[in-house]
Amino acid sequence: MPPNTSKTHRTSHPPGTQRHRPRKPTPAVVVKAPNSKEHGQSCEDCKEVGPSDKNKIRWKHRNPQPVWRAPPMIRPSFDSMFDLSQVVTVDTSHARSNIDVVRMCVRDLHWKEFPFGRKDMGPCDIYWHGSSFFDNLDIHSGKINKFPGMGDVTRKINLCRTLDLIREIYPDEYDFYPQSWFLPHQFHEFAAEVTMMRKKCRHRSPRPTFIVKPDDGCQGDGIYLIKDPSDYIIGHKCHIVQQYLSSPFLLEGFKFDLRVYVVIVSLKPLKIYLCKEGLARFCTLPYQEPRYRNIKESYMHLTNYSLNKHSQGYIHTDMGDTGSKRTMTSVFRKLDSLGYDSQAVWREIENVIVKTLLAISPELQVEYHSVFPKGKTDTTCSCFQILGFDILLLDDLKPMLLEINAQPSLRIDYEAEIKPGITKHIPSAIDEEVKKAVVKETMLLVAPEDKIRPKTVKKASGRRKSRQSSVYSSQSTTSSNGWFSPISFHYNHDNQESITQTSDTLNIPDSNGNQSPVLEIPGLPLCDITQANPSTIPEAEKKLYEIYPEPHNSKYEPLTILDRVAAIFTHCLGCRGTLRMGPTGFRMFTRRCHLNSGCFTNAAIDILFIELQRKWSFMNPDRTAECFQHKDNSLCFHGFVDAFYEIARRKFRSTCKLDSVKYMIEYCETNLKFGKHSVSRNLPNVLKAEKKLNTLKSLHHMSPQRGRTYFFSDSKS
């Protein structure tokens, strides 16, 4: 009776495992005739083997045997072949407009992406948010690419206030941003300052120009230039008015600015990385000094890409040294060709970036403390973030800070109108070159080291000495349905022969005859497994490098004085998860620091708190509107720093404001037994100086010259 070939038995066993013969139905058998005419022409077995195996096929055809014909099985995907404990996982469910470049980097690194989140509700190693830290609140571990409160800290008005506070004690270090006013709160001060400027430049022309920017604006929306305070349009929004920088450095007659990408890997301790490559954004109209006839030409005075891309003069190109958007290195090469020192300019840009981040770091720590207070053990999250600094070069190549973008665009395409009313997204080679490198190297910096760094594997001989080898998959991984992965091997960079091969691993010799492990997956191109190891990126090709604290720790150490003030503020808040200090907390701060004695009484402290609370509430109504709704009259961190300055000025009278603040910090930390004075054995210098001050006061009362004034001094004389 001929065998039944109408149906074939379907099995779910993967290749390479033990097959169990089913009971029903009987397995299908395929019998081939030994002298078939089709042999050698359409025989599948003969087509798939080489000439050396022809004899085996002929013997097989001369002795027909039952051949098991399992149906073609769908192999598991490339990502599902690896255990999640051995591969870096990235959650891109909230990536939004950053999804393209993030997905491209994840695939290049051979990591696992979860575009809709993990179905098993397990944690991922990296969470990529497109808007803010609070895009996904159900995170208990991993790295998040946004810091809490970074958007509020880097807003235009808040950033300038932060820089103004630290400029009061370091006036020479923070002179890299234009003079600013906050409207409508400081409108009268702004009008008076404009009048003074006009008197000074009465015989000179043109008159000074000012630029108005909305506090919460982005992509150049709502920005305009004015010559007179009466031209300011009063609305319901808060604005910042800055003196317009009318003498920028020009290339080919066009104004431009630099978009520099900065990565904050950690906040405490602060680690800053800077990207060697960036973007240069050019205006589309030749630059002229602002006058009444051209003051409304946005394409001439504003360098925002979102504005200039609508201009008819905008040039899209894939070349990095031409067009309206170029690479930053091409601009520096142009400066070198013109005889300028581009390295000196880059060092100045580094200084601007580090000083700015040191200024905003204290407030960022307060925001971070409100989300992750001390003692909170239900989460092990940490944060990192990519920032975009907009830098403008003056005619003397001095870098000036324009703003910080907490959400820089990471799109790698642009919209082009192919037909009237029809647009198409076209890939941009320049954006991909710059932004892909930033995102990829940032992921490598924050990824778990045990998943990307070489692991230590003991030798088979049993010696105690170990060797470093890159383990791509330490064991045969198992997917959710019980199938075993057909790929499992170890690759050693020092000894390339120690490779455990399976069915889909090939060894392809290079030009030197060495074997190189290459992975072959059906339906996917060949890929070298060494690309998944970040250590294979040559140092010369890396774009990110550390600028703080590694190379210049001692240089910028004095600028971290407000970090100690922020630590005192968070220590005296009293309520976990809050950003503001109420009147009770402020009184407790003064009592614990023994400030309510001598020149300060409890009534004076209450009056000072009320004055500063009203001042900073009116100066920043957007961030305090919610507090007013709940009738919470509290003091923000900026207001606390202002009160700290005022108390230091009254208690420690000195010719230098910086010295008074330093003595105030020492005094508070000593009384709180906080910081480096947590275990104090001897009196610090500030207490000795205070004793000396009392001695000088007593001498002043005993001296016949009552008109003489003794100032506080820390000198040993």
Side-chain angles (χ1 to χ4, degrees), residues 630-690:
H630 296 83
K631 297 181 180 181
D632 183 14
N633 298 329
S634 54
L635 196 64
C636 62
F637 174 69
H638 285 168
F640 178 80
V641 175
D642 199 357
F644 202 88
Y645 287 174
E646 180 63 23
I647 297 174
R649 184 188 66 83
R650 297 186 188 180
K651 189 170 184 63
F652 304 101
R653 298 181 182 273
S654 175
T655 56
C656 180
K657 190 172 185 177
L658 177 60
D659 293 339
S660 301
V661 175
K662 287 182 178 179
Y663 298 141
M664 178 72 175
I665 293 175
E666 292 277 346
Y667 186 80
C668 293
E669 289 180 347
T670 304
N671 289 288
L672 291 172
K673 294 182 180 181
F674 181 73
K676 65 179 182 179
H677 302 295
S678 57
V679 182
S680 59
R681 298 179 180 178
N682 300 321
L683 288 176
N685 294 332
V686 62
L687 298 182
K688 297 179 181 179
E690 187 180 19

Side-chain angles (χ1 to χ4, degrees), residues 302-339:
L302 303 182
T303 57
N304 300 76
Y305 165 75
S306 56
L307 293 177
N308 286 276
K309 69 180 182 180
H310 300 293
S311 174
Q312 296 180 354
Y314 191 89
I315 302 175
H316 287 283
T317 178
D318 292 337
M319 303 297 294
D321 54 354
T322 58
S324 299
K325 182 189 289 187
R326 310 178 188 179
T327 59
M328 186 172 59
T329 54
S330 67
V331 173
F332 287 152
R333 288 194 299 266
K334 186 69 173 178
L335 293 178
D336 292 333
S337 64
L338 295 176

Side-chain angles (χ1 to χ4, degrees), residues 15 124 206 210 218 237 280 447 451 501 512 544 610 615 636 691:
C124 289
F210 304 92
C218 61
K237 292 185 178 181
K451 294 187 178 182
Q501 292 188 170
N512 299 327
L544 295 180
I610 294 172
K615 171 187 173 182
C636 62
K691 185 177 180 181

Side-chain angles (χ1 to χ4, degrees), residues 385-420:
Q385 190 156 355
I386 300 175
L387 301 176
F389 278 70
D390 292 342
I391 304 293
L392 180 70
L393 299 180
L394 300 182
D395 53 0
D396 58 351
L397 293 182
K398 178 183 179 181
M400 299 292 290
L401 176 66
L402 298 181
E403 63 177 348
I404 302 177
N405 197 329
Q407 302 174 19
S409 174
L410 297 178
R411 296 188 64 93
I412 54 177
D413 58 359
Y414 64 92
E415 291 184 358
E417 188 175 7
I418 56 178
K419 293 181 180 180

